[in-house]
Amino acid sequence: MKPDLKVKIGSLTLKNPVITASGTFGYGEEFHESFYDIAKLGAVVTKGISLKPRAGNEMPRVIETASGMLNAIGLANVGLDAFLSDKLPYLARTGAVVIANILGSTVEEYAEVARRLDSAEGVMALEQNISCPNVKCGGLQFGIDPESAAVAVRAVRKAFSRTLIVKLSPQASSIPAMARACEEAGADAISLINTIPAMAIDVRTKKPVLANVTGGLSGPAIKPVALRMVYEAAGAVKIPIIGIGGIMNAADAVEFMLAGASAIQIGTANFVRPMAAMEIIEGIEVYCRENSISRVGELTGALEVRS
Amino acid sequence: MNDCATKIELIEALSNDAYRIRFAVDWKAFDPGQFVMMGIPGNVVFLRRPFGIARFSNGVAEICCKVVGRGTRALSDAKVGTRIDVLGPCGRGFRFPQKEEPAILVAGGYGIGPIFGLCEALLAQGRRCILYYGARETSHLLYLDELAKIGANVKCSTEDGSHGARGMIAELLEKDLDNIEKPSLFACGPHGLSKAVAEISRRRGVPAQVSMESYMACGIGVCLGCACKDADGNFVRTCREGPVFDVRELQWDSSPL
């Protein structure tokens, strides 16, 4: 029997738990044109959108490190106006479930972007990024302190009527406290983790490899850290958790679900294997069949901890 | 563009640190200047690496891999039969010149890869072309036998004078350009060569296209790791808007990346 892969995130029902992560999927065009029908995904999270366009950081912006990579793109994006006029119509035509990732350097900016996306047709949910490590005012101050986070989340909650997901930084002073603060402020779901601040040095030149000096670490290197944080967040709140961090295959995805995630995001794997997300959907289905799981939701939090 | 799981059919040293690698793919054609993203699945090297396509016939593609780091080292150490993932053909290739314009190809070192592909395609169409090819020393001049076989008109230079003219290839090119009517330039090589070609193009008012090299994670336009600055100072993606650019599209006064 075909397992039921549907999952619920807030008021949103996804056809499967596999979502593509912000900053690894553009605005969907490249994948939809060359690789697969993106409507087959649980959802697509857009590149982070700010009120005004951002050019991003100087080169070099990416470098491979052990079992992963660093990036310091600097939230390069087309800005809200161009997103609404050029990018969103294309995404909407594909039939994909669109989650807009939003950025803000102030509470007011978050609220303004959220308000304008609330009236935009085709944006089913927001993912509020309170955690980008690569810009001076990337919202990271909101990502560390639960009280600041609550202020920013409340403002977006007021401005946006549909599903609101808050994306946490691994730098939060306490993941359980941060998750609870976001839940109380009105978030419908929590996604975590964003990249881990890190750096690489070229011993030949004695210079940092990235122009921005530091960047965000992603890929399999961060998976164990992410799993632990998802496990902690899931134990702290009632709202759904979306697990992110180094997921390369279906087994990785299942690990996150067992730790407490209702859905997962594929990030860096999209760079390594463009078909990764499709392979993972298929792999989750196979896992469910082989383990006699009729609904994928049964996996969420099904971890058996020895007592 | 598609992603195919394939195997190395041939791997052969071209010099002490450059290799030709051949593999079957399931695409039918490529534009010279386009590239592939290639990696060994399961290898400790995590991201794929970009390589300009040097040759393609009967479903078999060839790239030239110069060892510059861990990723290229892993590929150069691979054996015939090693499983590889190949994504391609990626990016925007060279736009062909008007029929009457002689194509002046310019390559530096292992930049010969994509230029060889262009040379072969131009000659197959019966176009006039001359290749200016420079390297530090004789052993860094690759594909010379193959170039002779396809009947290419090649002018070489080496920095140490061990083969062809002594000096930089851009100098040899510039000397000859006075005697070529309506030339159109096509270049691939180190940043310094691309910059010199852009300068020659500007000064003489001759059209020029260059294939740019960049570190990149994805090769398909989504990681934004390979951006370079266009003439207006905006970032464009080497993997998508390039790797081949008209020199007038790019900013050349900034330092090489």
Side-chain angles (χ1 to χ4, degrees):
Chain A
M1 207 187 72
K2 205 172 156 62
D4 179 5
L5 294 186
K6 286 197 290 294
V7 295
K8 272 202 86 175
I9 305 292
S11 58
L12 200 57
T13 300
L14 309 183
K15 59 175 68 117
N16 63 63
V18 178
I19 303 170
T20 50
S22 183
T24 67
F25 210 68
Y27 305 94
E29 290 143 309
E30 291 82 1
F31 281 85
H32 193 70
E33 274 161 23
S34 301
F35 299 106
Y36 56 83
D37 174 4
I38 62 174
K40 287 182 177 166
L41 291 163
V44 170
V45 184
T46 67
K47 181 99 183 95
I49 300 156
S50 47
L51 199 52
K52 298 271 171 264
R54 294 182 53 101
N57 295 330
E58 292 295 317
M59 302 302 126
R61 292 173 164 186
V62 296
I63 182 71
E64 176 165 338
T65 55
S67 299
M69 61 177 281
L70 298 182
N71 88 78
I73 306 302
L75 302 177
N77 80 97
V78 297
L80 181 60
D81 291 339
F83 172 72
L84 290 171
S85 60
D86 305 344
K87 303 298 182 185
L88 185 56
Y90 179 92
L91 269 170
R93 273 199 305 280
T94 65
V97 172
V98 178
I99 302 174
N101 181 287
I102 64 163
L103 311 169
S105 46
T106 62
V107 172
E108 292 70 33
E109 187 183 353
Y110 276 125
E112 170 74 10
V113 176
R115 193 172 312 116
R116 290 188 50 198
L117 288 171
D118 191 46
S119 50
E121 209 154 309
V123 174
M124 282 74 152
L126 293 188
E127 181 179 60
Q128 184 179 6
N129 180 0
I130 55 167
S131 52
C132 185
N134 295 329
V135 290
K136 290 193 178 67
C137 296
L140 184 58
Q141 67 275 30
F142 302 114
I144 294 173
D145 168 40
E147 275 177 43
S148 314
V151 174
V153 173
R154 264 198 298 274
V156 170
R157 176 69 291 167
K158 247 204 215 149
F160 190 76
S161 55
R162 298 183 290 283
T163 300
L164 171 61
I165 304 161
V166 180
K167 184 171 184 178
L168 304 191
S169 164
Q171 287 181 289
S173 55
S174 150
I175 290 289
M178 180 59 88
R180 272 193 298 268
C182 293
E183 181 180 44
E184 283 160 18
D188 298 307
I190 302 288
S191 59
L192 75 169
I193 60 175
N194 205 323
T195 57
I196 301 177
M199 71 187 289
I201 293 170
D202 185 337
V203 294
R204 205 170 33 88
T205 59
K206 302 194 181 78
K207 287 181 177 159
V209 175
L210 299 177
N212 190 55
V213 183
T214 60
L217 178 63
S218 67
I222 72 166
K223 196 190 91 181
V225 178
L227 261 182
R228 187 264 296 174
M229 289 184 166
V230 163
Y231 177 65
E232 284 180 355
V237 296
K238 293 196 177 64
I239 53 177
I241 304 293
I242 301 170
I244 320 167
I247 297 175
M248 296 299 290
N249 52 48
D252 292 342
V254 171
E255 283 185 52
F256 275 87
M257 296 190 76
L258 292 172
S262 297
I264 52 96
Q265 291 184 10
I266 310 299
T268 305
N270 291 318
F271 298 158
V272 180
R273 290 194 328 278
M275 293 301 291
M278 287 298 117
E279 292 163 14
I280 291 168
I281 295 171
E282 222 177 279
I284 292 174
E285 190 177 327
V286 169
Y287 177 88
C288 288
R289 263 205 316 270
E290 287 176 356
N291 292 276
S292 309
I293 291 160
S294 56
R295 281 186 322 107
V296 75
E298 292 168 35
L299 288 171
T300 299
L303 184 71
E304 295 172 21
V305 181
R306 249 172 272 152
S307 51
Chain B
M1 176 164 55
N2 77 4
D3 192 19
C4 57
T6 181
K7 283 189 300 211
I8 293 180
E9 290 194 354
L10 176 142
I11 180 160
E12 184 180 279
L14 296 169
S15 71
N16 62 348
D17 63 355
Y19 299 78
R20 85 167 85 239
I21 302 178
R22 270 189 209 153
F23 43 87
V25 288
D26 47 19
W27 24 275
K28 302 280 176 266
F30 83 111
D31 297 331
Q34 287 189 300
F35 65 100
V36 293
M37 293 295 288
M38 194 164 130
I40 302 171
N43 192 272
V44 294
V45 174
F46 181 62
L47 299 172
R48 300 192 198 186
R49 299 294 189 263
F51 299 96
I53 301 163
R55 300 192 92 164
F56 174 77
S57 67
N58 299 322
V60 176
E62 176 176 320
I63 56 108
C64 169
C65 169
K66 150 122 187 211
V67 178
V68 294
R70 269 174 3 114
T72 43
R73 167 57 66 197
L75 281 164
S76 70
D77 285 345
K79 303 278 175 276
V80 169
T82 298
R83 288 176 50 228
I84 50 172
D85 287 330
V86 177
L87 172 66
C90 303
R92 188 173 69 150
F94 290 103
R95 273 73 68 200
F96 279 31
Q98 300 293 317
K99 278 247 153 48
E100 67 278 11
E101 293 172 354
I104 308 303
L105 314 188
V106 191
Y110 62 99
I112 190 65
I115 292 293
F116 184 88
L118 178 62
C119 187
E120 194 168 39
L122 287 168
L123 291 174
Q125 292 188 7
R127 304 289 194 95
R128 272 201 296 154
C129 75
I130 308 172
L131 167 58
Y132 287 83
Y133 186 19
R136 197 170 309 148
E137 51 172 80
T138 311
S139 71
H140 294 180
L141 288 167
L142 314 172
Y143 282 85
L144 292 181
D145 292 348
E146 290 86 343
L147 285 163
K149 246 181 245 164
I150 63 171
N153 178 2
V154 188
K155 300 187 183 237
C156 290
S157 80
T158 46
E159 286 173 42
D160 64 358
S162 57
H163 187 107
R166 177 190 294 270
M168 308 300 277
I169 195 65
E171 296 161 11
L172 182 63
L173 166 71
E174 180 121 51
K175 262 186 243 159
D176 288 7
L177 274 181
D178 289 334
N179 306 315
I180 303 172
E181 215 170 311
K182 295 193 88 181
S184 196
L185 307 179
F186 302 84
C188 182
H191 190 81
L193 175 63
S194 301
K195 212 169 161 172
V197 167
E199 174 57 21
I200 291 170
S201 160
R202 191 191 59 78
R203 208 159 0 97
R204 294 176 169 260
V206 299
Q209 296 171 36
V210 292
S211 177
M212 302 297 284
E213 187 174 46
S214 174
Y215 198 90
M216 57 184 72
C218 75
I220 58 177
V222 295
C223 79
L224 309 183
C226 66
C228 59
K229 278 199 180 142
D230 72 9
D232 300 323
N234 299 315
F235 285 119
V236 289
R237 299 165 297 182
T238 302
C239 73
R240 197 83 179 177
E241 282 75 50
V244 177
F245 293 93
D246 185 303
V247 293
R248 290 167 303 185
E249 292 174 313
L250 296 179
Q251 195 177 92
W252 293 99
D253 47 11
S254 56
S255 59
L257 303 171

